[in-house]
Amino acid sequence: MRALFRRDPLGVAAVIIAICAIGAAVLASPGAPEPVPAARPTANPASAELARCRNLGEAGGADADCHAAWAESRRRFFGAGDPS
């Protein structure tokens, strides 16, 4: 292998360039998976309100509508009745 580098450095460079070109072509192929969108539109108004509150960041903690949406979400998740 060392003899190859000493005799033909341009040939080695050509092989490296070819490998890089093939790799770039594979990555850019039309069969490559599409990136996943960051947020999906929802038909559920409660989910839309929770997404709005999430996007508010720390300001959501002071928003009364966000508090109501979080309470409703907890109620739906844990159920309406007492576990006792």
Side-chain angles (χ1 to χ4, degrees), residues 2-83:
R2 289 183 195 161
L4 176 64
F5 287 121
R6 272 191 246 141
R7 287 188 200 158
D8 193 11
L10 291 178
V12 172
V15 169
I16 292 172
I17 290 171
I19 290 171
C20 291
I22 291 170
V26 168
L27 290 176
S29 68
E34 295 281 327
V36 177
R40 296 181 306 222
T42 62
N44 185 353
S47 294
E49 179 65 17
L50 290 172
R52 183 189 73 81
C53 293
R54 182 183 62 238
N55 290 335
L56 286 176
E58 287 185 33
D63 190 320
D65 291 334
C66 290
H67 283 280
W70 291 327
E72 175 62 20
S73 177
R74 283 190 301 271
R75 187 197 62 75
R76 281 186 290 132
F77 182 79
F78 292 114
D82 258 346

